[in-house]
Amino acid sequence: MDATSILIEAARDAATRAYAPYSNFKVGAAIRLTDGRIVTGANVENASYGLSLCAETVAIAKVATDGLLAEVVEVAVLGGTGPMPVRPCGRCRQILNEAAQLGKRDLTIHCASGDGMTVESHKLSILLPNAFGPADLI
């Protein structure tokens, strides 16, 4: 199994732990760090819908609380039940951009359908062109 497949499989496993009682749209995210470790997250819904957390946000929060935000190399996101790959929302793209700019790298984002059969890979700079980030606050 290649590195991308392993990352997607980690996202699939994370999706099984999603808390999505309202939408039943389970999403998992997996983040590879520079040392090869993989950190995962799953979406967490809330009865007050606006308070729900996306899988990417959960995974990035775990990475950040370990002081490793600049160590993010690539991300896989998997979810839903249809044949189309799920992609990070705008908020998650911005959150991933923080890690990308701190680490001075253009992250690769692997977007997969719920069954993992359809995968698209994109550079974050394509998904979020001309992004606002830490350097803009100096």
Side-chain angles (χ1 to χ4, degrees):
M1 191 178 277
D2 69 0
T4 300
S5 297
I6 291 169
L7 198 61
I8 291 168
E9 188 57 37
R12 180 194 326 273
D13 182 58
T16 66
R17 294 186 299 280
Y19 177 72
Y22 307 107
S23 71
N24 203 34
F25 193 89
K26 296 181 177 191
V27 179
I31 296 174
R32 185 183 319 283
L33 303 177
T34 54
D35 65 4
R37 280 184 290 168
I38 295 174
V39 178
T40 62
N43 58 317
V44 180
E45 292 182 349
N46 188 278
S48 175
Y49 297 133
L51 298 179
S52 296
L53 298 173
C54 297
E56 303 92 308
T57 299
V58 172
I60 278 289
K62 289 168 67 175
V63 169
T65 57
D66 285 341
L68 301 170
L69 206 51
E71 304 303 314
V72 175
V73 175
E74 66 180 325
V75 179
V77 183
L78 176 145
T81 57
M84 297 301 295
V86 67
R87 297 173 192 95
C89 71
R91 178 177 179 264
C92 287
R93 292 174 195 202
Q94 184 63 43
I95 287 170
L96 292 169
N97 180 66
E98 187 85 5
Q101 287 194 11
L102 290 174
K104 297 180 174 56
R105 60 180 63 86
D106 193 2
L107 303 181
T108 299
I109 313 296
H110 306 287
C111 307
S113 57
D115 61 7
M117 298 302 291
T118 305
V119 179
E120 299 174 348
S121 296
H122 305 279
K123 289 294 187 179
L124 181 59
S125 62
I126 299 299
L127 294 175
L128 187 65
N130 304 311
F132 178 85
D136 296 302
L137 296 175
I138 297 174

